[in-house]
Amino acid sequence: MRRTGAAYHFRIRPGKREEGAHLDADGLGYRRVEPPAPGISRRDLAMLLAGVAGANVMGAATWGALEALLPAGNADTWTKAVCRFCGTGCGIQVGMRDGRVTDVRGDELAHNAGVICVKGSMLRALPYVEGRLTTPMIRRGGKGSALIKASWDEAMSLVAAKFQEAIAAAGPDSVAFYGSGQLFTEESYTANKLFKAGIRTNNVDGNPRLCMASAATGYTQTFGKDEPPGSYVDIDHAECLFVIGANPFHCHPPLHERMMRRKRLHPETTIICVDPRRTDTADHADIHLSPVPGTDLLLLNSMAQVMCADGLVDSAFLTRHVRFTDGDAEIGFEAFRAFLNASYTPEQVSQELGVTAADIRRVAYRFATAKATMSLWTMGMNQRTQGTALNAMLSALHLLTGQIGRPGATPFSVTGQPNACGGVRDTGALSHALPNGRVVANPKHREEMEAIWGLAPGTLNPKPGLAAVDLFKALGEGQVRAALVMCTNPAQTLPNLVAQHANLERGFLAVAEIFGDSETAARADVLLPAALWIEKEGVTGQGERRYQYTPRLLQAPGECRSDLAMLVDLAERLGHGALISARTPEAVWDEWRKVSAHSKYNFEGITYARLKELRGLQWPCPRPDHPGTVRRYVEGDDPLVTPGSGIEFYGFPDHKAVIATRPYVRSPELPTTDYPLQLTTGRVVEQWHSGTMTMRIAELRDGAGPARLEVSPADARRYGVAEGARVRLTSRFGSIEGQAHITDRCRPGLLFAAFYDVKLLINRIVADHVDPVSKEPEYKVTAVKLEVLA
Amino acid sequence: MTWLLIVRVLGTLSCVLAIVASWFVARRNFGALKESPTISIGIATLSAAAFWKLSAFVAIVALPVATIATANYHTFVGIHEVEACSQCHVMRPMANDLHDPSSDTLAARHYKNGYIPTGQCYACHADYGFSGDMAAKMEGFRHLARYTTRTYEEPIVSRTRFDNQQCLKCHQHKTAFESVHVHHDVIERLTSSNMSCLNCHGRSHPTRSSRTPGSPEYQALVKPPVFAEGDHE
């Protein structure tokens, strides 16, 4: 049947012609034409409606099919968490399907605005890497024998027995805890409390000693309190970014991206990079200064000299907010200026520094006259024998020029580990420290902590404990007989490793680890399998005083336990169960935030409930309705500032920040005739620290490749080094062989190696001189000599 | 008056004409055509049967074809324009942000650098090739269905995974891309869209929180975008 109009029916009837029918135009047959009916028939209406309904059904079906068929990404649920790696502390979204992590994305609502790096992107592979340690292991036959599987009870009994034995024989200072800026805050807090208040030894230190200690002492000497005054958001407002001793392109990519974003939107922003190497960060900078390694205090002092001599200082700010000192007594601005004029004019320093006087002036002027200057630094400043002086002097440049306390104007120490700030610096889990900026040597601080922890007066040991390098030396020499190492790999990361490996072989070493084959695990007497990343819940505090919550999303493999569970178990076995009464992450956190209320770190208002809801909170944050503090010491932002004072450096009793004279002292590792070259170390973007995790993820391992010794073309010519040649580097501490890579990223006289690769254990030859104040070793400058191997 | 508007008017006109013409043709009693054998239009005279057959052809075939053609032109070509996407208010934040010179989202940065002179939404949201075009249309149809039936919630969230080929089709094999070592580490994951380019390169559009009704930025983001002359040419 064909239908062309509502009122007509044409029926094809081939064959006999009927009365009144006509031959169809196309000759197909005869049709009987019915007379036109008035209006639309019921049948027509029904068909019309059916047609309309059919069209709608088709539309809806197409929609339904599209909803069902269009690909819906590779994860069913997304949960906010925190990246496991560096101190940028990026917020991430963990995508899961069928109980497995299938994707990790940057969290666009977190401080990092959705930007993470290649390591963070590969976090999805981390829970599934091969070789996890899943059961406790004991070296039953003593040092040198094989590790054999054991039960948790067996392993923990042995650890407790060894600790008790040592304490009984040689007192509490014969045991030690060596923690990590990667433990959760609850874990570091508990370990610190167990050892300092329970066992009563201050031998509590950790890997932040190797990376952050100088930043902590630098801030404390300047502002009276540790931790940066500013935040990452200051990058978005700075007109001058002064990056010194840092390589964010490789080591903190989201911060580099943020700087680049600032530059793209505001091309007038000047990025100054100070680094002996022409790093990728330097490639993206407007000005790159390449000083001789170990001399950059000359640069900072000289910049200060230019600022003071040329009237670039903010006198009103200095009068109100700053006190000058020569280290012993208060001095005036004039005396400070005289100190600089005596030996730090650009012309006086430029030869030793390796930077022209004109460049020093240019940088000093830009730093001082930009509307807002932010400096960012990491290990190039911290891992130095003058680390504290460098940190303090850089903050001093900000104070001199009033480049502080405004959006974009701040001295910002970028941190290396996800929880070195919140977990270790703030909890005071270092050998000289007590929680919230207190120190063990101060009787008043000890009294305060004894009152807060409910201890008998005199419980806390007044003698500062051993800092990292000395702690392991003491292990070798027998003063420390038993140590618990958690979540770190000192057998790869300590400097002067040849000597330290021998030390690690001596005392009793219990190691909480995620892999059984790390350098440290290879020297352990007891291995405790630890839960990793989202296999446990807890809080981390990244570089800008922001506490963030990591949820537990996965079941830990095998018998792995959280480090907190191990510490609680140990406390119980050592008879300190009553002291360690908080036993879940949330309970520990609640105890800790209430402890903080008794200090200028006050973050009592940062509850678990808020952390689970929000993308982290920055302390000070005293009340549950407080939004957190972006800029410290600034009225209207920092709740601890006295109303009406504008800016108040409340860390010191006179509410003033301190600028001290910082005489330059030559590094013991400047080049000599015997050791004419200098070695510096660092990281590459794909690898994180000792590579324990990142070397097991194929993309990152293959991307980074084996570590090589970077040699400048000039030195390559001088020593006859061909690309890829085997070379031997010898320092005063040891020697190492590796493959050379010729690159003009190194200035003549400079060599570079990354420290992630166990096959090129560069820390075997790295110097272990320490900063006298922070006790942080000088990784960044080692005098070496180079030989080509046949 | 833009070309697109002309197309839209022509399409509507042909659609209305087709309906009217069909109605006239349908009312004609073809059986009674013998009564008036010829029809004169101006100077032309033709047989009634021929005239009405011609009319039927125009009403049933020619005009509908013209309507479908212009409608498809409008859908397939017109929808390339940012203006078309921003007709839905949920898409306006993207369009407003795109044109905001102070924004640093990837969309705004791409707009500012001027490499994509026209159809900026579609340039990144249609996959390369014919099947990609179809996929984008299908997704667009789904959006339309959701929008007209009000079965969506603000802020809208992209359901599908963004295909990295949209980025790579321009950036791959360029110096800026190839000189970044990390790209080679994960190139397979990038080409298969298993790892998002946005992980390292940041937000493409305003955040979900700013696109949520009630947020401080919301009103500014959903205001009808103003298109400068030449934006959609």
Side-chain angles (χ1 to χ4, degrees):
Chain A
M1 183 184 76
R2 286 189 294 175
R3 200 162 66 90
T4 53
Y8 290 82
H9 297 270
F10 302 95
R11 292 207 180 85
I12 300 168
R13 286 189 182 166
K16 193 181 158 199
R17 181 176 176 178
E18 282 179 19
E19 188 61 31
H22 306 278
L23 187 66
D24 188 33
D26 56 11
L28 284 173
Y30 296 99
R31 298 169 177 199
R32 187 166 63 86
V33 180
E34 290 167 2
I40 298 170
S41 75
R42 210 180 303 159
R43 181 183 169 145
D44 291 336
L45 186 66
M47 289 179 79
L48 189 69
L49 290 176
V52 171
N56 275 298
V57 167
M58 269 172 66
T62 312
W63 177 18
L66 288 173
E67 290 285 356
L69 294 177
L70 279 178
N74 55 355
D76 296 331
T77 60
W78 291 93
T79 316
K80 83 171 177 76
V82 186
C83 180
R84 173 64 180 78
F85 299 115
C86 85
T88 312
C90 292
I92 53 170
Q93 289 280 343
V94 179
M96 299 186 71
R97 175 169 287 170
D98 304 328
R100 282 177 69 87
V101 178
T102 49
D103 198 0
V104 169
R105 295 285 303 265
D107 186 347
E108 63 167 25
L109 299 185
H111 64 86
N112 48 306
V115 178
I116 55 176
C117 72
V118 69
K119 296 184 290 292
S121 297
M122 288 312 303
L123 266 174
R124 65 182 91 189
L126 183 60
Y128 311 110
V129 293
E130 305 266 307
R132 278 289 293 275
L133 179 69
T134 52
T135 53
M137 312 271 265
I138 295 177
R139 221 176 279 283
R140 292 181 200 275
K143 296 276 183 193
S145 67
L147 282 161
I148 296 178
K149 281 185 185 173
S151 70
W152 267 107
D153 186 51
E154 234 179 324
M156 290 307 295
S157 305
L158 178 61
V159 176
K162 288 286 182 185
F163 269 62
Q164 275 163 337
E165 199 179 289
I167 294 166
D173 282 343
S174 63
V175 298
F177 175 80
Y178 189 75
S180 165
Q182 299 158 55
L183 288 170
F184 282 137
T185 308
E186 296 86 338
E187 294 163 341
S188 289
Y189 172 81
T190 303
N192 197 33
K193 189 179 180 190
L194 169 63
F195 277 73
K196 286 181 184 161
I199 299 171
R200 298 174 68 182
T201 175
N202 290 325
N203 286 341
V204 174
D205 218 57
N207 58 16
R209 178 71 70 185
L210 309 177
C211 77
M212 304 290 302
S214 299
T217 50
Y219 276 133
T220 308
Q221 291 194 355
T222 306
F223 301 107
K225 294 286 164 213
D226 183 19
E227 299 287 3
S231 296
Y232 295 147
V233 72
D234 284 310
I235 297 173
D236 303 342
H237 302 284
E239 206 184 68
C240 172
L241 289 158
F242 186 74
V243 183
I244 176 165
N247 184 8
F249 182 97
H250 278 271
C251 309
H252 301 87
L255 298 186
H256 177 81
E257 174 63 21
R258 198 161 183 164
M259 291 198 286
M260 289 299 109
R261 217 174 352 152
R262 171 70 190 166
K263 178 82 183 168
R264 274 192 297 262
L265 278 178
H266 298 272
E268 72 279 10
T269 309
T270 312
I271 300 177
I272 301 166
C273 176
V274 182
D275 197 310
R277 288 173 74 219
R278 187 176 56 74
T279 57
D280 285 295
T281 305
D283 279 346
H284 289 83
D286 300 285
I287 302 172
H288 173 216
L289 303 185
S290 170
V292 173
T295 63
D296 45 7
L297 188 57
L298 289 174
L299 173 70
L300 300 186
N301 277 344
S302 187
M303 284 170 70
Q305 194 277 335
V306 173
M307 290 165 184
C308 293
D310 293 6
L312 303 176
V313 295
D314 185 341
S315 307
F317 185 89
L318 290 176
T319 313
R320 273 196 71 188
H321 300 299
V322 176
R323 165 164 53 96
F324 289 89
T325 165
D326 65 0
D328 299 318
E330 193 169 335
I331 57 170
F333 174 67
E334 285 308 319
F336 177 72
R337 195 157 75 165
F339 160 79
L340 295 172
N341 286 342
S343 28
Y344 300 104
T345 64
E347 285 72 18
Q348 283 170 307
V349 304
S350 77
Q351 188 66 25
E352 183 164 358
L353 177 64
V355 174
T356 66
D359 273 345
I360 298 171
R361 288 211 164 80
R362 186 170 156 222
V363 168
Y365 267 78
R366 187 62 194 145
F367 189 110
T369 59
K371 283 179 194 155
T373 297
M374 178 177 189
S375 49
L376 298 115
W377 68 93
T378 55
M379 298 312 136
M381 297 269 282
N382 297 348
Q383 294 178 332
R384 301 284 299 284
T385 45
Q386 282 208 286
T388 305
L390 281 160
N391 272 269
M393 197 58 213
L394 188 47
S395 290
L397 294 185
H398 284 268
L399 292 167
L400 282 171
T401 51
Q403 294 283 18
I404 190 166
R406 284 176 286 119
T410 195
F412 194 93
S413 154
V414 179
T415 171
Q417 296 187 86
N419 199 24
C421 290
V424 176
R425 279 157 75 174
D426 300 352
T427 62
L430 290 167
S431 60
H432 67 284
L434 286 170
N436 302 125
R438 298 178 182 87
V439 290
V440 293
N442 185 327
K444 195 166 153 283
H445 290 176
R446 291 199 306 276
E447 275 170 32
E448 283 171 11
M449 281 318 298
E450 281 160 358
I452 293 167
W453 276 339
L455 308 171
T459 305
L460 291 173
N461 188 339
K463 192 181 126 209
L466 297 163
V469 171
D470 289 337
L471 191 150
F472 288 102
K473 276 184 189 161
L475 190 72
E477 288 160 6
Q479 288 113 283
V480 171
R481 300 183 179 197
L484 172 62
V485 174
M486 275 188 158
C487 203
T488 180
N489 190 8
Q492 186 168 343
T493 56
L494 285 169
N496 188 11
L497 263 184
V498 180
Q500 292 292 16
H501 279 172
N503 295 331
L504 286 161
E505 298 286 352
R506 296 217 179 92
F508 173 81
L509 203 60
V511 179
E513 252 293 11
I514 47 176
F515 301 108
D517 59 354
S518 74
E519 289 292 301
T520 308
R523 291 161 176 85
D525 295 282
V526 176
L527 274 184
L528 308 169
L532 167 70
W533 187 41
I534 50 171
E535 293 162 4
K536 55 180 184 175
E537 69 167 349
V539 177
T540 49
Q542 39 81 297
E544 53 167 3
R545 293 171 281 107
R546 184 187 300 274
Y547 276 120
Q548 301 180 105
Y549 171 77
T550 300
R552 183 170 178 269
L553 300 174
L554 292 174
Q555 176 81 35
E559 297 173 37
C560 290
R561 287 184 186 176
S562 75
D563 297 83
L564 181 63
M566 295 180 215
L567 288 162
V568 167
D569 188 343
L570 182 65
E572 200 61 60
R573 286 169 199 269
L574 293 177
H576 301 297
L579 179 75
I580 307 299
S581 54
R583 296 183 170 198
T584 64
E586 184 163 4
V588 179
W589 179 259
D590 282 339
E591 179 181 320
W592 170 223
R593 68 186 172 85
K594 282 172 189 149
V595 167
S596 81
H598 300 274
S599 74
K600 297 284 188 196
Y601 285 62
N602 195 344
F603 50 84
E604 196 181 3
I606 305 183
T607 59
Y608 249 49
R610 291 184 84 192
L611 286 171
K612 284 177 183 175
E613 182 68 26
L614 302 171
R615 265 64 178 180
L617 277 162
Q618 290 176 279
W619 59 264
C621 179
R623 298 178 310 276
D625 60 350
H626 190 274
T629 302
V630 177
R631 285 175 198 93
R632 264 171 119 191
Y633 312 124
V634 178
E635 186 184 357
D637 199 345
D638 187 336
L640 306 181
V641 170
T642 316
S645 53
I647 285 180
E648 182 186 37
F649 297 111
Y650 51 70
F652 286 114
D654 61 355
H655 292 188
K656 285 187 171 184
V658 173
I659 296 179
T661 52
R662 301 286 176 179
Y664 166 68
V665 179
R666 284 203 174 85
S667 162
E669 295 293 321
L670 288 186
T672 62
T673 345
D674 291 340
Y675 301 99
L677 303 170
Q678 283 179 300
L679 170 75
T680 192
T681 63
R683 286 183 21 210
V684 295
V685 61
E686 295 94 344
Q687 292 294 324
W688 194 67
H689 285 191
S690 66
T692 320
M693 293 177 279
T694 43
M695 278 299 256
R696 286 166 209 267
I697 296 170
E699 285 86 347
L700 302 178
R701 180 189 59 230
D702 300 344
R708 295 180 295 177
L709 295 162
E710 291 188 1
V711 185
S712 73
D715 293 319
R717 217 164 26 246
R718 185 170 157 204
Y719 293 95
V721 180
E723 174 67 26
R726 294 285 301 170
V727 293
R728 181 187 293 131
L729 278 194
T730 310
S731 74
R732 297 182 183 92
F733 304 88
S735 93
I736 192 169
E737 289 173 13
Q739 198 184 25
H741 170 52
I742 301 168
T743 169
D744 60 1
R745 292 202 175 278
C746 287
R747 59 178 282 155
L750 179 71
L751 300 153
F752 171 83
F755 68 99
Y756 62 87
D757 192 352
V758 280
K759 296 200 178 96
L760 186 75
L761 220 45
I762 197 71
N763 284 330
R764 287 168 65 90
I765 65 168
V766 164
D768 68 352
H769 312 292
V770 296
D771 178 292
V773 182
S774 69
K775 305 281 193 290
E776 179 162 347
E778 183 157 62
Y779 288 88
K780 287 295 172 267
V781 193
T782 304
V784 291
K785 65 179 171 194
L786 174 75
E787 296 157 88
V788 181
L789 299 171
Chain B
M1 185 181 279
T2 64
W3 176 237
L4 203 63
L5 193 62
I6 296 170
V7 169
R8 216 181 294 160
V9 170
L10 285 177
T12 314
L13 213 60
S14 63
C15 182
V16 171
L17 278 176
I19 293 169
V20 173
S22 301
W23 180 259
F24 270 107
V25 172
R27 288 194 60 89
R28 180 57 34 200
N29 185 346
F30 277 74
L33 283 181
K34 274 184 181 167
E35 287 155 25
S36 50
T38 59
I39 286 176
S40 300
I41 305 166
I43 52 163
T45 302
L46 65 166
S47 77
F51 173 82
W52 284 108
K53 276 180 189 170
L54 209 59
S55 297
F57 175 77
V58 169
I60 304 165
V61 181
L63 282 173
V65 165
T67 306
I68 289 167
T70 46
N72 273 303
Y73 179 83
H74 178 248
T75 312
F76 277 76
V77 179
I79 211 80
H80 288 188
E81 303 303 333
V82 179
E83 200 174 354
C85 305
S86 52
Q87 278 167 5
C88 301
H89 82 275
V90 292
M91 285 295 176
R92 281 185 194 154
M94 322 301 175
N96 282 318
D97 172 72
L98 181 81
H99 296 131
D100 178 2
S102 66
S103 168
D104 64 349
T105 60
L106 284 180
R109 276 154 54 188
H110 278 82
Y111 185 79
K112 256 183 293 189
N113 69 26
Y115 281 107
I116 307 168
T118 177
Q120 287 88 0
C121 300
Y122 198 72
C124 297
H125 286 281
D127 300 3
Y128 205 54
F130 179 73
S131 65
D133 260 1
M134 287 310 293
K137 297 298 164 206
M138 282 155 64
E139 183 62 13
F141 180 80
R142 196 177 69 81
H143 285 196
L144 187 70
R146 287 269 184 163
Y147 193 77
T148 47
T149 54
R150 295 284 187 274
T151 45
Y152 64 91
E153 261 178 40
E154 281 190 85
I156 53 167
V157 181
S158 170
R159 187 184 118 164
T160 53
R161 198 174 170 77
F162 189 79
D163 185 353
N164 287 350
Q165 288 301 336
Q166 299 296 329
C167 310
L168 294 171
K169 71 187 181 193
C170 295
H171 289 282
Q172 202 178 7
H173 309 310
K174 301 292 192 300
T175 312
F177 179 89
E178 300 295 332
S179 64
V180 177
H181 186 238
V182 173
H183 288 152
H184 300 279
D185 301 347
V186 288
I187 191 66
E188 278 170 26
R189 285 186 184 270
L190 290 178
T191 49
S192 63
S193 293
N194 182 285
M195 178 188 286
S196 172
C197 296
L198 304 186
N199 268 8
C200 297
H201 296 282
R203 279 193 292 242
S204 44
H205 295 299
T207 58
R208 266 173 278 152
S209 58
S210 64
R211 293 188 277 111
T212 304
S215 85
E217 303 95 341
Y218 184 76
Q219 283 309 327
L221 282 173
V222 294
K223 71 176 192 298
V226 180
F227 289 92
E229 247 343 279
D231 257 2
H232 32 58
E233 278 171 11

